[in-house]
């Protein structure tokens, strides 16, 4: 009987840790998806089940950021969300039809680019003490947001790093508000992806909800820590997570 509940305990603990990492940086899904597969789920079902956790985590995280008055609002928000939503829809449709073999090279290339960018930019995610840029001031951000949405809808793992780079570097949001934006964007394409995975019956709901509860609690803790943490530490954490993700993906077979 106890053994029957062991997977749920493992998933909850892993979800909690991933929630903390996802809020403060990104890349928690590089832990949760392999663990779900290790526990017996096929890759596509593990991918779908992970979205349940991300959905619940995003809701909890946004609530925490809202209480801290760190959620951007207004017309600037819509300019960011629309390309993400369209990209998420495209990526979700791609994952339903394209071979799974292309997931690994995409993952490695995107994460390698992100890790390299983090390593070479000394002022990455520095605090910005002026107003963030409007999307119309950096129209190239629309293209990158769309690509981020495509990747997020396709596999999700590591997309937080891409969104942070766009929001913090291109649009000049401070690291805390950039993370809030990351959650909003993630929530948008996760909703789209969940619909696709539900249609294809690729979700283990019991494990997904358990993962989500752990993710949500970890996210709330991550927000409390992030608001008081130096951005240089977050930059270092991002770099470490990105490198670990690349190594994990390379040896995952």
């Amino acid at each position: 009987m106890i053994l029957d509940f062991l997977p749920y305990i493992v998933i909850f603990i892993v979800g909690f840790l991933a929630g903390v990492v996802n809020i403060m940086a990104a890349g928690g899904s590089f832990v949760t998806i392999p663990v779900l597969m290790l526990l017996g789920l096929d890759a596509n079902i593990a991918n779908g089940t992970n979205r349940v956790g991300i959905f619940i985590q995003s809701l909890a995280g946004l609530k925490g950021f809202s209480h801290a008055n760190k959620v951007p609002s207004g017309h600037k928000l819509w300019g960011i969300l629309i390309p993400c939503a369209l990209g998420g829809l495209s990526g979700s449709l791609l994952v339903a039809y394209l071979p799974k073999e292309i997931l690994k090279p995409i993952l490695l290339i995107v994460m390698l680019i992100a890790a390299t960018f983090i390593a070479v930019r000394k002022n990455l995610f520095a605090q910005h003490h002026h107003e963030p840029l409007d999307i119309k001031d950096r129209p190239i951000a629309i293209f990158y947001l769309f690509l981020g949405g495509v990747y997020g809808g396709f596999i999700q793992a590591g997309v937080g790093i891409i969104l942070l780079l766009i929001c913090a570097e291109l649009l000049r949001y401070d690291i805390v508000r950039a993370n809030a934006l990351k959650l909003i964007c993630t929530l948008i394409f996760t909703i789209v992806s969940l619909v696709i995975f539900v249609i294809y019956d690729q979700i283990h709901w019991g494990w997904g909800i358990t993962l989500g509860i752990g993710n949500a609690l970890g996210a709330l803790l991550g927000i409390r820590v992030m608001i008081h943490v130096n951005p240089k530490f977050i930059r270092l954490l991002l770099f470490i997570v990105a490198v670990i993700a690349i190594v994990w993906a390379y040896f995952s077979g």
Side-chain angles (χ1 to χ4, degrees), residues 98-184:
L98 293 181
K100 299 183 183 67
E101 288 75 15
I102 71 170
L103 292 180
K104 183 173 180 177
I106 289 177
L107 181 152
L108 288 172
I109 291 170
V110 171
M111 294 304 298
L112 181 59
I113 292 172
T116 302
F117 193 83
I118 291 169
V120 301
R121 289 293 297 273
K122 294 182 179 180
N123 64 336
L124 183 62
F125 302 137
Q127 290 284 15
H128 302 297
H129 301 288
H130 48 76
E131 281 294 311
L133 296 176
D134 194 287
I135 197 76
K136 65 183 179 182
D137 298 320
R138 286 286 175 87
I140 189 64
I142 297 175
F143 174 70
Y144 289 123
L145 285 166
F146 175 79
L147 290 184
V150 171
Y151 180 79
F154 195 80
I155 191 172
Q156 203 284 320
V159 69
I161 294 176
I162 301 171
L163 295 175
L164 279 174
L165 289 172
I166 297 170
C167 295
E169 289 295 293
L170 280 181
L171 299 178
R172 299 298 179 184
Y173 281 90
D174 65 78
I175 188 61
V176 177
R177 286 183 170 81
N179 264 282
L181 276 173
K182 175 192 75 176
L183 280 183
I184 297 172

Side-chain angles (χ1 to χ4, degrees), residues 220-240:
L220 294 176
L221 176 61
I223 291 171
R224 289 177 177 270
V225 175
M226 163 172 283
I227 292 173
H228 304 287
V229 170
N230 190 300
K232 291 182 180 180
F233 171 77
I234 300 174
R235 173 175 173 259
L236 177 61
L237 181 62
L238 277 169
F239 177 70
I240 293 172

Side-chain angles (χ1 to χ4, degrees), residues 2-13 35 39 207 210:
I2 296 178
L3 291 178
D4 293 337
F5 287 99
L6 184 59
Y8 290 88
I9 297 172
V10 172
I11 290 170
F12 174 82
I13 294 173
V35 167
L39 292 173
W207 289 5
T210 303

Side-chain angles (χ1 to χ4, degrees), residues 11-20 209-219:
I11 290 170
F12 174 82
I13 294 173
V14 170
F16 179 84
L17 296 175
V20 175
I209 293 172
T210 303
L211 180 65
I213 295 172
N215 281 160
L217 294 176

